[in-house]
Amino acid sequence: MARAIVFSEIGSPDVLQLVEVPDPVAGPGEAVVRIEAAGVNPIDAKQRSGARPLPPLTAPRRVGFDGAGTIQALGEGVTGFAVGDRVAIRDTLGTYASLLAVPVAHLAHLLDGVTAAEGATLAIPAGTAYQSLRSLRVVKGDTLLIHAGSGAVGQAAIQYAVHWGATVIATASPERHEQLRTLGAVPVAYGDGLEDRVREAAPGGVTVALDCAGTDEAIATSLTLVVDRDRIATIVRGPDAASFGIRAFSGGSPEPLSEEEQAWRAEALPLTIDLLAAGDFTIELGPELPLSEAARAHELVEQHAARGKIVLVP
């Protein structure tokens, strides 16, 4: 029997339960992956707590969308993958588990030098960052302001933008400034006087802004500094972004992503694995916890108590 984390009611992290489930079988176009690491994302905790509404629970719901492991079995019609291949998983519910059947369209090969923990922490943060910057048309010569640059999405966005030749100003608490500098950003502290500090850091002006913080300060500063509101976006304030005249990606946005934006999110996973393998991208890894401590992992996420991406190991 496989093991998986489920919840049968909305509530605190304590509603998460480790249960035995039947071993998955690979259907047509699928692979069964033995999960070696599952990435823990804020959306996982938001769905469990009810902060991000779900349809009514009529059966135990699985948890997690990102993971990595080794292919154990293949379904009919699968090409391009083989039993024993190391892979990363994107956009597939249930990665908090020991085994999972995954559409092969949601898999990317893990290259030598990229660990399962790194592969498991990529899909949602890297996909969100990459798609957001592509949607905002970030190019060489831009000056990009990222609010909450030390988070997983913020760190990924910094690295893409720097790689493309943009100048990046990123907000964070002072103790996180050195991490931002290592990624190529100019760090500034959030709080009173943020606008003045950003102006000092970017005397030529700011051309584009990405809000990963969701604070009123972040929204107000972006609106003041960026002339073109179509080049301001939030990944947190989806429900009220339209009232500011800005764009929203994720964060409860009522507007679905376009087909092109969905394709960018899918493109981000193999692209970023290539960058990792080449030494041109880094991931700040946080605590590794056993699958049985999924509740503790959600507590850490909700309390913002861990630096780096949390990984569950079955």
Side-chain angles (χ1 to χ4, degrees):
M1 297 282 282
R3 296 178 301 139
I5 296 293
V6 303
F7 63 97
S8 299
E9 59 181 315
I10 298 298
S12 69
D14 292 338
V15 303
L16 297 176
Q17 296 179 311
L18 179 62
V19 300
E20 290 190 336
V21 295
D23 286 352
V25 176
E30 292 183 336
V32 172
V33 178
R34 181 170 296 281
I35 304 293
E36 296 169 9
V40 178
N41 290 293
I43 185 62
D44 306 339
K46 289 176 180 178
Q47 290 187 340
R48 185 221 74 238
S49 69
R52 186 69 56 80
L54 291 171
L57 294 173
T58 58
R61 180 177 168 91
R62 302 283 290 270
V63 190
F65 295 93
D66 295 353
T70 303
I71 293 178
Q72 180 172 287
L74 296 172
E76 182 181 352
V78 172
T79 60
F81 293 91
V83 171
D85 283 354
R86 299 173 61 245
V87 292
I89 302 166
R90 68 171 183 86
D91 196 25
T92 304
L93 180 64
T95 55
Y96 291 20
S98 57
L99 293 169
L100 185 65
V102 182
V104 293
H106 292 188
L107 296 177
H109 288 283
L110 277 183
L111 303 181
D112 291 344
V114 181
T115 67
E118 289 172 328
T121 60
L122 277 177
I124 286 180
T128 301
Y130 182 80
Q131 171 266 309
S132 297
L133 298 192
R134 291 293 300 269
S135 295
L136 290 168
R137 309 182 308 280
V138 174
V139 295
K140 182 178 181 179
D142 269 323
T143 296
L144 168 66
L145 172 61
I146 299 176
H147 299 279
S150 63
V153 175
Q155 290 196 35
I158 289 169
Q159 293 178 83
Y160 295 134
V162 169
H163 188 67
W164 298 340
T167 297
V168 181
I169 312 298
T171 72
S173 57
E175 62 268 22
R176 301 291 280 151
H177 283 189
E178 188 55 38
Q179 174 65 13
L180 301 189
R181 289 190 188 95
T182 65
L183 300 178
V186 177
V188 295
Y190 50 73
D192 291 344
L194 174 61
E195 179 186 330
D196 291 337
R197 289 191 294 277
V198 174
R199 288 185 186 278
E200 182 179 355
V206 174
T207 56
V208 57
L210 178 63
D211 165 43
C212 305
T215 61
D216 290 343
E217 173 190 62
I219 299 293
T221 302
S222 298
L223 291 172
T224 300
L225 296 177
V226 179
V227 174
D228 184 356
R229 293 196 176 189
D230 196 46
R231 302 197 74 198
I232 304 172
T234 178
I235 65 166
V236 186
R237 296 281 288 271
D240 61 353
S243 68
F244 301 113
I246 66 175
R247 308 176 72 184
F249 311 121
S250 307
S253 172
E255 296 296 325
L257 296 175
S258 68
E259 289 186 6
E260 183 177 44
E261 288 169 335
Q262 293 176 36
W264 285 333
R265 291 207 174 194
E267 178 183 307
L269 182 56
L271 178 149
T272 309
I273 290 171
D274 287 346
L275 291 173
L276 272 167
D280 295 327
F281 194 94
T282 62
I283 298 170
E284 185 180 26
L285 292 174
E288 280 194 9
L289 300 174
L291 188 62
S292 59
E293 293 187 22
R296 176 58 180 155
H298 278 212
E299 289 174 353
L300 292 173
V301 166
E302 291 176 328
Q303 296 166 2
H304 305 284
R307 289 186 180 180
K309 288 290 296 181
I310 302 169
V311 173
L312 293 174
V313 180

